[in-house]
CSV table of all heavy atoms in Angstrom, one decimal:
chain,number,residue,atom,x,y,z
A,232,GLU,N,6.7,-7.5,10.2
A,232,GLU,CA,7.1,-8.9,10.4
A,232,GLU,C,8.5,-9.1,10.1
A,232,GLU,O,9.3,-9.7,10.8
A,232,GLU,CB,6.2,-9.8,9.7
A,232,GLU,CG,4.8,-9.9,10.2
A,232,GLU,CD,3.9,-10.8,9.4
A,232,GLU,OE1,4.1,-11.0,8.2
A,232,GLU,OE2,2.9,-11.3,10.0
A,233,ALA,N,8.9,-8.5,8.9
A,233,ALA,CA,10.3,-8.7,8.5
A,233,ALA,C,11.3,-8.0,9.5
A,233,ALA,O,12.3,-8.6,9.8
A,233,ALA,CB,10.5,-8.1,7.1
A,234,ARG,N,10.9,-6.8,9.9
A,234,ARG,CA,11.8,-6.1,10.9
A,234,ARG,C,11.9,-6.9,12.2
A,234,ARG,O,13.0,-7.0,12.7
A,234,ARG,CB,11.2,-4.7,11.1
A,234,ARG,CG,12.1,-3.8,11.9
A,234,ARG,CD,11.7,-2.4,12.1
A,234,ARG,NE,10.3,-2.1,11.6
A,234,ARG,CZ,9.2,-2.1,12.4
A,234,ARG,NH1,9.3,-2.5,13.6
A,234,ARG,NH2,8.0,-1.8,11.9
A,235,GLN,N,10.8,-7.5,12.6
A,235,GLN,CA,10.9,-8.3,13.8
A,235,GLN,C,11.8,-9.5,13.7
A,235,GLN,O,12.4,-10.0,14.7
A,235,GLN,CB,9.5,-8.8,14.2
A,235,GLN,CG,8.6,-7.7,14.8
A,235,GLN,CD,7.1,-8.1,15.0
A,235,GLN,OE1,6.8,-9.3,15.0
A,235,GLN,NE2,6.3,-7.1,15.2
A,236,GLU,N,11.9,-10.0,12.4
A,236,GLU,CA,12.9,-11.1,12.2
A,236,GLU,C,14.3,-10.6,11.9
A,236,GLU,O,15.2,-11.4,11.7
A,236,GLU,CB,12.4,-11.9,11.0
A,236,GLU,CG,11.1,-12.7,11.2
A,236,GLU,CD,10.9,-13.7,10.1
A,236,GLU,OE1,10.3,-13.2,9.1
A,236,GLU,OE2,11.3,-14.8,10.2
A,237,GLY,N,14.5,-9.3,11.9
A,237,GLY,CA,15.8,-8.7,11.7
A,237,GLY,C,16.1,-8.4,10.3
A,237,GLY,O,17.3,-8.2,9.9
A,238,TYR,N,15.1,-8.4,9.4
A,238,TYR,CA,15.3,-8.1,8.0
A,238,TYR,C,14.9,-6.7,7.7
A,238,TYR,O,13.8,-6.2,8.1
A,238,TYR,CB,14.5,-9.1,7.1
A,238,TYR,CG,14.9,-10.5,7.3
A,238,TYR,CD1,13.9,-11.4,7.7
A,238,TYR,CD2,16.2,-11.0,7.2
A,238,TYR,CE1,14.2,-12.8,7.9
A,238,TYR,CE2,16.5,-12.3,7.4
A,238,TYR,CZ,15.5,-13.2,7.8
A,238,TYR,OH,15.8,-14.5,8.0
A,239,ARG,N,15.7,-6.0,6.9
A,239,ARG,CA,15.4,-4.6,6.5
A,239,ARG,C,15.0,-4.4,5.0
A,239,ARG,O,14.7,-3.3,4.6
A,239,ARG,CB,16.6,-3.7,6.8
A,239,ARG,CG,17.0,-3.7,8.3
A,239,ARG,CD,16.4,-2.6,9.1
A,239,ARG,NE,16.4,-1.3,8.4
A,239,ARG,CZ,15.4,-0.5,8.4
A,239,ARG,NH1,14.3,-0.8,8.9
A,239,ARG,NH2,15.5,0.7,7.7
A,240,HIS,N,15.0,-5.5,4.3
A,240,HIS,CA,14.8,-5.4,2.8
A,240,HIS,C,13.4,-4.9,2.4
A,240,HIS,O,13.2,-4.3,1.4
A,240,HIS,CB,15.2,-6.6,2.1
A,240,HIS,CG,14.4,-7.8,2.4
A,240,HIS,ND1,14.4,-8.5,3.6
A,240,HIS,CD2,13.6,-8.6,1.6
A,240,HIS,CE1,13.6,-9.5,3.6
A,240,HIS,NE2,13.1,-9.6,2.3
A,241,ILE,N,12.4,-5.2,3.3
A,241,ILE,CA,11.0,-4.7,2.9
A,241,ILE,C,11.0,-3.2,3.3
A,241,ILE,O,10.3,-2.4,2.5
A,241,ILE,CB,9.9,-5.5,3.6
A,241,ILE,CG1,10.1,-7.0,3.3
A,241,ILE,CG2,8.6,-5.0,3.3
A,241,ILE,CD1,10.0,-7.3,1.8
A,242,ALA,N,11.6,-2.7,4.3
A,242,ALA,CA,11.7,-1.3,4.6
A,242,ALA,C,12.4,-0.6,3.5
A,242,ALA,O,12.0,0.5,3.1
A,242,ALA,CB,12.4,-1.1,5.9
A,243,ARG,N,13.5,-1.2,2.9
A,243,ARG,CA,14.2,-0.6,1.8
A,243,ARG,C,13.3,-0.5,0.6
A,243,ARG,O,13.3,0.5,-0.2
A,243,ARG,CB,15.5,-1.4,1.5
A,243,ARG,CG,16.6,-1.0,2.5
A,243,ARG,CD,18.0,-1.5,2.0
A,243,ARG,NE,18.1,-3.0,1.8
A,243,ARG,CZ,18.3,-3.8,2.8
A,243,ARG,NH1,18.5,-3.4,4.0
A,243,ARG,NH2,18.4,-5.1,2.5
A,244,LEU,N,12.5,-1.6,0.4
A,244,LEU,CA,11.6,-1.6,-0.8
A,244,LEU,C,10.6,-0.4,-0.6
A,244,LEU,O,10.4,0.4,-1.6
A,244,LEU,CB,10.8,-2.9,-0.8
A,244,LEU,CG,9.5,-2.9,-1.7
A,244,LEU,CD1,9.8,-2.7,-3.1
A,244,LEU,CD2,8.7,-4.1,-1.4
A,245,ILE,N,10.0,-0.2,0.5
A,245,ILE,CA,9.1,0.9,0.8
A,245,ILE,C,9.8,2.3,0.6
A,245,ILE,O,9.3,3.2,-0.1
A,245,ILE,CB,8.5,0.8,2.2
A,245,ILE,CG1,7.6,-0.4,2.2
A,245,ILE,CG2,7.7,2.1,2.5
A,245,ILE,CD1,7.2,-0.8,3.7
A,246,ASP,N,11.0,2.4,1.1
A,246,ASP,CA,11.8,3.7,1.0
A,246,ASP,C,12.1,4.0,-0.5
A,246,ASP,O,11.9,5.1,-1.0
A,246,ASP,CB,13.1,3.6,1.8
A,246,ASP,CG,12.8,3.6,3.3
A,246,ASP,OD1,11.7,4.0,3.7
A,246,ASP,OD2,13.8,3.3,4.0
A,247,GLU,N,12.6,2.9,-1.2
A,247,GLU,CA,13.0,3.1,-2.6
A,247,GLU,C,11.8,3.5,-3.5
A,247,GLU,O,11.8,4.3,-4.4
A,247,GLU,CB,13.7,1.9,-3.1
A,247,GLU,CG,15.1,1.7,-2.5
A,247,GLU,CD,15.7,0.3,-2.9
A,247,GLU,OE1,14.9,-0.6,-3.4
A,247,GLU,OE2,16.8,0.1,-2.6
A,248,TRP,N,10.6,2.8,-3.1
A,248,TRP,CA,9.4,3.1,-3.9
A,248,TRP,C,8.9,4.6,-3.6
A,248,TRP,O,8.6,5.3,-4.6
A,248,TRP,CB,8.3,2.1,-3.5
A,248,TRP,CG,7.1,2.2,-4.4
A,248,TRP,CD1,6.1,3.2,-4.3
A,248,TRP,CD2,6.7,1.4,-5.4
A,248,TRP,NE1,5.1,2.9,-5.2
A,248,TRP,CE2,5.5,1.8,-5.9
A,248,TRP,CE3,7.3,0.2,-6.0
A,248,TRP,CZ2,4.9,1.2,-7.0
A,248,TRP,CZ3,6.7,-0.4,-7.0
A,248,TRP,CH2,5.5,0.1,-7.5
A,249,SER,N,9.0,5.0,-2.4
A,249,SER,CA,8.5,6.3,-2.0
A,249,SER,C,9.3,7.4,-2.6
A,249,SER,O,8.8,8.5,-3.0
A,249,SER,CB,8.3,6.5,-0.5
A,249,SER,OG,9.6,6.5,0.1
A,250,THR,N,10.6,7.2,-2.7
A,250,THR,CA,11.5,8.2,-3.3
A,250,THR,C,11.6,8.1,-4.8
A,250,THR,O,12.1,9.0,-5.5
A,250,THR,CB,13.0,8.1,-2.8
A,250,THR,OG1,13.5,6.8,-3.2
A,250,THR,CG2,13.0,8.2,-1.3
A,251,GLY,N,11.0,7.0,-5.4
A,251,GLY,CA,11.1,6.8,-6.8
A,251,GLY,C,12.4,6.2,-7.3
A,251,GLY,O,12.6,6.0,-8.5
A,252,ASP,N,13.3,5.8,-6.4
A,252,ASP,CA,14.5,5.2,-6.7
A,252,ASP,C,14.3,3.8,-7.4
A,252,ASP,O,15.1,3.4,-8.3
A,252,ASP,CB,15.5,5.0,-5.5
A,252,ASP,CG,16.0,6.3,-5.0
A,252,ASP,OD1,15.9,7.3,-5.8
A,252,ASP,OD2,16.5,6.4,-3.9
A,253,ASN,N,13.3,3.1,-7.0
A,253,ASN,CA,13.0,1.8,-7.6
A,253,ASN,C,11.5,1.6,-7.6
A,253,ASN,O,10.9,1.4,-6.6
A,253,ASN,CB,13.7,0.7,-6.9
A,253,ASN,CG,13.6,-0.6,-7.7
A,253,ASN,OD1,13.0,-0.7,-8.8
A,253,ASN,ND2,14.1,-1.7,-7.1
A,254,ARG,N,10.9,1.6,-8.8
A,254,ARG,CA,9.5,1.3,-9.0
A,254,ARG,C,9.3,0.1,-9.9
A,254,ARG,O,8.2,-0.1,-10.4
A,254,ARG,CB,8.8,2.5,-9.5
A,254,ARG,CG,8.8,3.7,-8.6
A,254,ARG,CD,7.5,3.8,-7.8
A,254,ARG,NE,7.4,4.8,-6.9
A,254,ARG,CZ,6.7,6.0,-7.1
A,254,ARG,NH1,6.1,6.2,-8.1
A,254,ARG,NH2,6.7,6.9,-6.1
A,255,PHE,N,10.4,-0.7,-10.2
A,255,PHE,CA,10.3,-1.9,-10.9
A,255,PHE,C,9.7,-1.6,-12.3
A,255,PHE,O,8.8,-2.3,-12.8
A,255,PHE,CB,9.5,-3.0,-10.2
A,255,PHE,CG,10.1,-3.3,-8.9
A,255,PHE,CD1,9.9,-2.6,-7.7
A,255,PHE,CD2,10.9,-4.5,-8.8
A,255,PHE,CE1,10.4,-2.9,-6.5
A,255,PHE,CE2,11.5,-4.8,-7.6
A,255,PHE,CZ,11.3,-4.0,-6.5
A,256,ARG,N,10.2,-0.6,-13.0
A,256,ARG,CA,9.6,-0.2,-14.3
A,256,ARG,C,10.5,-0.4,-15.5
A,256,ARG,O,10.1,-0.2,-16.6
A,256,ARG,CB,9.2,1.3,-14.2
A,256,ARG,CG,8.1,1.5,-13.3
A,256,ARG,CD,7.5,2.9,-13.5
A,256,ARG,NE,6.3,3.0,-12.7
A,256,ARG,CZ,5.9,4.1,-12.0
A,256,ARG,NH1,6.7,5.2,-12.1
A,256,ARG,NH2,4.8,4.1,-11.3
A,257,ARG,N,11.8,-0.8,-15.3
A,257,ARG,CA,12.7,-1.0,-16.4
A,257,ARG,C,12.3,-2.4,-17.1
A,257,ARG,O,11.6,-3.2,-16.6
A,257,ARG,CB,14.1,-1.0,-16.0
A,257,ARG,CG,14.6,0.4,-15.5
A,257,ARG,CD,16.0,0.4,-15.1
A,257,ARG,NE,16.3,-0.3,-13.9
A,257,ARG,CZ,17.5,-0.5,-13.4
A,257,ARG,NH1,18.5,0.0,-13.9
A,257,ARG,NH2,17.6,-1.1,-12.2
A,258,ASP,N,12.8,-2.5,-18.3
A,258,ASP,CA,12.6,-3.8,-19.1
A,258,ASP,C,12.9,-5.0,-18.2
A,258,ASP,O,14.0,-5.1,-17.7
A,258,ASP,CB,13.4,-3.9,-20.3
A,258,ASP,CG,12.8,-3.0,-21.5
A,258,ASP,OD1,11.7,-2.6,-21.3
A,258,ASP,OD2,13.5,-2.9,-22.5
A,259,GLY,N,11.9,-5.9,-18.1
A,259,GLY,CA,12.0,-7.1,-17.3
A,259,GLY,C,11.7,-7.0,-15.9
A,259,GLY,O,11.6,-8.0,-15.2
A,260,GLU,N,11.6,-5.8,-15.4
A,260,GLU,CA,11.3,-5.6,-13.9
A,260,GLU,C,9.9,-5.8,-13.6
A,260,GLU,O,9.0,-5.5,-14.4
A,260,GLU,CB,11.8,-4.3,-13.5
A,260,GLU,CG,13.3,-4.1,-13.6
A,260,GLU,CD,13.9,-2.8,-12.9
A,260,GLU,OE1,13.1,-1.9,-12.7
A,260,GLU,OE2,15.1,-2.8,-12.7
A,261,ARG,N,9.6,-6.3,-12.4
A,261,ARG,CA,8.2,-6.5,-12.0
A,261,ARG,C,8.2,-6.7,-10.4
A,261,ARG,O,9.2,-7.3,-9.9
A,261,ARG,CB,7.7,-7.8,-12.6
A,261,ARG,CG,6.3,-8.1,-12.2
A,261,ARG,CD,5.6,-9.0,-13.2
A,261,ARG,NE,5.2,-8.2,-14.4
A,261,ARG,CZ,4.5,-8.7,-15.3
A,261,ARG,NH1,4.1,-10.0,-15.3
A,261,ARG,NH2,4.1,-8.0,-16.3
A,262,LEU,N,7.2,-6.3,-9.8
A,262,LEU,CA,6.9,-6.5,-8.4
A,262,LEU,C,5.6,-7.2,-8.2
A,262,LEU,O,4.6,-6.7,-8.7
A,262,LEU,CB,6.9,-5.1,-7.6
A,262,LEU,CG,6.8,-5.2,-6.1
A,262,LEU,CD1,8.0,-6.0,-5.5
A,262,LEU,CD2,6.6,-3.8,-5.5
A,263,LEU,N,5.6,-8.3,-7.6
A,263,LEU,CA,4.4,-9.1,-7.4
A,263,LEU,C,4.1,-9.3,-5.9
A,263,LEU,O,5.0,-9.4,-5.1
A,263,LEU,CB,4.6,-10.5,-8.0
A,263,LEU,CG,4.9,-10.6,-9.5
A,263,LEU,CD1,5.1,-12.0,-9.9
A,263,LEU,CD2,3.8,-9.9,-10.3
A,264,GLY,N,2.8,-9.5,-5.6
A,264,GLY,CA,2.4,-9.8,-4.3
A,264,GLY,C,1.5,-11.1,-4.4
A,264,GLY,O,0.8,-11.3,-5.3
A,265,ALA,N,1.7,-11.9,-3.4
A,265,ALA,CA,0.9,-13.1,-3.3
A,265,ALA,C,-0.2,-12.9,-2.2
A,265,ALA,O,0.2,-12.6,-1.0
A,265,ALA,CB,1.8,-14.3,-2.9
A,266,TYR,N,-1.4,-13.1,-2.6
A,266,TYR,CA,-2.5,-13.0,-1.6
A,266,TYR,C,-3.2,-14.3,-1.3
A,266,TYR,O,-3.4,-15.1,-2.2
A,266,TYR,CB,-3.6,-12.0,-2.2
A,266,TYR,CG,-3.2,-10.6,-2.2
A,266,TYR,CD1,-2.4,-10.0,-3.1
A,266,TYR,CD2,-3.7,-9.8,-1.1
A,266,TYR,CE1,-2.0,-8.7,-3.1
A,266,TYR,CE2,-3.3,-8.4,-1.1
A,266,TYR,CZ,-2.5,-7.9,-2.1
A,266,TYR,OH,-2.1,-6.6,-2.0
A,267,ALA,N,-3.4,-14.6,0.0
A,267,ALA,CA,-4.1,-15.8,0.4
A,267,ALA,C,-5.3,-15.2,1.2
A,267,ALA,O,-5.2,-14.5,2.2
A,267,ALA,CB,-3.2,-16.6,1.3
A,268,ARG,N,-6.5,-15.6,0.7
A,268,ARG,CA,-7.8,-15.1,1.3
A,268,ARG,C,-7.7,-13.6,1.5
A,268,ARG,O,-8.0,-13.0,2.6
A,268,ARG,CB,-8.0,-15.8,2.7
A,268,ARG,CG,-8.2,-17.3,2.6
A,268,ARG,CD,-8.6,-17.8,4.0
A,268,ARG,NE,-8.4,-19.2,4.0
A,268,ARG,CZ,-7.3,-19.8,4.7
A,268,ARG,NH1,-6.5,-19.0,5.3
A,268,ARG,NH2,-7.2,-21.1,4.7
A,269,GLU,N,-7.3,-12.9,0.4
A,269,GLU,CA,-7.3,-11.4,0.4
A,269,GLU,C,-6.3,-10.8,1.4
A,269,GLU,O,-6.4,-9.6,1.7
A,269,GLU,CB,-8.7,-10.8,0.6
A,269,GLU,CG,-9.6,-11.1,-0.6
A,269,GLU,CD,-9.1,-10.7,-1.9
A,269,GLU,OE1,-8.6,-9.6,-2.1
A,269,GLU,OE2,-9.1,-11.6,-2.8
């Protein structure tokens, strides 16, 4: 959906997570998801 809107930041999130470049593990870091009806 983000890509269809012209945004690449979610693709970068996936890429950085898969390479281990950013897993939101340093002090104060966090990655959250919001779920509506699962």
Side-chain angles (χ1 to χ4, degrees):
E232 290 176 334
R234 189 172 10 90
Q235 288 173 12
E236 289 189 277
Y238 303 124
R239 299 271 312 137
H240 64 294
I241 304 304
R243 283 194 299 276
L244 165 66
I245 294 167
D246 290 346
E247 290 170 351
W248 188 282
S249 67
T250 63
D252 288 345
N253 187 6
R254 294 263 176 104
F255 299 83
R256 290 193 174 143
R257 293 184 289 176
D258 280 349
E260 295 188 342
R261 180 162 280 187
L262 183 63
L263 300 178
Y266 284 82
R268 295 188 201 103
E269 295 305 310

